[in-house]
């Protein structure tokens, strides 16, 4: 949902390796565009929750989206207002991009960014956590029902050398300082 709405490929500028897996377990998530309506940001974050029990099932997602679609049909709904604002921002961006056609922003993908399914056998990943970068967003319980199903979450196994762990810790320290 985030990739579709933001029109940005997640983690396209970094290698898709065990270091990325560790960072994701430590809370790294793709950027969420500031243009995306808050009610959708809340749902995206709920789907990214490290605890599978907090994530909505496909059936719940369907019900949520169906409810929102019905709500969007009302002319005075908050969902309609947020979506209209989103569409306006998208229109403005497209007009701006047309005027800057010569300055095209081509997406450059890292050569080790792999977007095909593959088995990752990573051991010793840290316990997953939610992103601290997304803490400024508040999930609105009125829009997103709680998840009742007991889902199972799993991390894959990976073994790290001491130099790998040092590299990860150095990058984390640099990010904390900035």
């Amino acid at each position: 949902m985030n990739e579709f709405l933001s029109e940005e490929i997640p983690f396209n500028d970094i290698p898709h390796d065990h270091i990325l897996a560790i960072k994701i377990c430590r809370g790294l998530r793709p950027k969420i565009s500031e243009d995306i309506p808050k009610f959708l940001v809340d749902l995206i974050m709920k789907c990214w929750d490290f605890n599978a029990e907090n994530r909505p099932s496909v059936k719940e997602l369907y019900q949520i989206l169906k409810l929102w679609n019905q709500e969007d049909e009302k002319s005075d709904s908050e969902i309609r207002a947020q979506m209209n604002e989103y569409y306006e921002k998208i229109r403005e961006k497209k007009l701006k991009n047309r005027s800057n056609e010569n300055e095209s922003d081509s997406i450059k993908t890292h050569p080790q960014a792999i977007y095909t399914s593959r088995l990752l056998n990573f051991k010793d990943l840290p316990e997953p956590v939610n992103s601290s970068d997304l803490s400024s967003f508040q999930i609105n319980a009125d829009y997103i029902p709680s998840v009742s199903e007991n889902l199972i979450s799993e991390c894959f196994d990976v073994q790290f050398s001491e130099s790998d762990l040092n590299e990860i810790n150095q990058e984390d320290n640099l990010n904390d300082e900035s």
Side-chain angles (χ1 to χ4, degrees), residues 121-169:
N121 190 19
F122 296 157
K123 295 183 181 182
D124 302 324
L125 286 177
E127 284 297 313
V129 298
N130 286 326
S131 174
S132 59
D133 293 340
L134 302 176
S135 61
S136 62
F137 294 104
Q138 297 296 319
I139 293 180
N140 185 336
D142 295 337
Y143 286 137
I144 304 170
S146 63
V147 179
S148 58
E149 293 182 29
N150 183 16
L151 304 174
I152 298 171
S153 176
E154 65 181 50
C155 274
F156 297 105
D157 294 330
V158 69
Q159 291 182 340
F160 296 101
S161 69
E162 190 171 331
S163 64
D164 289 336
L165 293 173
N166 289 337
E167 180 183 343
I168 293 165
N169 287 328

Side-chain angles (χ1 to χ4, degrees), residues 6-172:
S6 67
E7 297 179 0
E8 291 183 23
I9 300 170
F11 309 122
N12 69 313
D13 56 347
I14 56 177
H16 293 185
D17 56 11
H18 62 281
I19 293 173
L20 177 59
I22 288 178
K23 289 179 179 182
I24 290 170
C25 284
R26 288 187 174 170
L28 179 67
R29 301 292 185 267
K31 243 183 346 185
I32 295 179
S33 170
E34 60 190 34
D35 298 335
I36 296 176
K38 181 167 179 350
F39 72 96
L40 290 172
V41 170
D42 292 342
L43 183 58
I44 290 167
M45 289 176 47
K46 194 155 184 78
C47 291
W48 285 348
D49 197 294
F50 80 92
N51 185 347
E53 293 175 3
N54 296 336
R55 295 181 219 137
S57 68
V58 172
K59 182 178 180 180
E60 289 168 320
L61 286 171
Y62 173 79
Q63 291 168 344
I64 291 166
L65 295 172
K66 184 177 175 182
L67 176 73
W68 286 348
N69 188 48
Q70 292 168 352
E71 187 68 22
D72 186 41
E73 292 174 3
K74 300 175 186 172
S75 61
D76 62 341
S77 78
E78 178 63 24
I79 289 175
R80 176 170 273 205
Q82 288 185 36
M83 288 307 296
N84 286 341
E85 185 178 333
Y86 169 73
Y87 293 137
E88 185 58 35
K89 287 178 183 178
I90 295 301
R91 270 188 233 112
E92 289 172 10
K93 276 187 177 180
K94 289 189 181 205
L95 287 172
K96 183 179 176 185
N97 286 344
R98 282 187 198 148
S99 64
N100 296 334
E101 280 180 1
N102 294 338
E103 303 170 22
S104 68
D105 293 329
S106 61
I107 297 173
K108 294 188 169 93
T109 304
H110 192 281
Q112 292 175 328
I114 301 169
Y115 291 97
T116 56
S117 296
R118 60 193 169 127
L119 178 62
L120 303 173
N121 190 19
F122 296 157
K123 295 183 181 182
D124 302 324
L125 286 177
E127 284 297 313
V129 298
N130 286 326
S131 174
S132 59
D133 293 340
L134 302 176
S135 61
S136 62
F137 294 104
Q138 297 296 319
I139 293 180
N140 185 336
D142 295 337
Y143 286 137
I144 304 170
S146 63
V147 179
S148 58
E149 293 182 29
N150 183 16
L151 304 174
I152 298 171
S153 176
E154 65 181 50
C155 274
F156 297 105
D157 294 330
V158 69
Q159 291 182 340
F160 296 101
S161 69
E162 190 171 331
S163 64
D164 289 336
L165 293 173
N166 289 337
E167 180 183 343
I168 293 165
N169 287 328
Q170 285 177 336
E171 288 182 18
D172 284 349

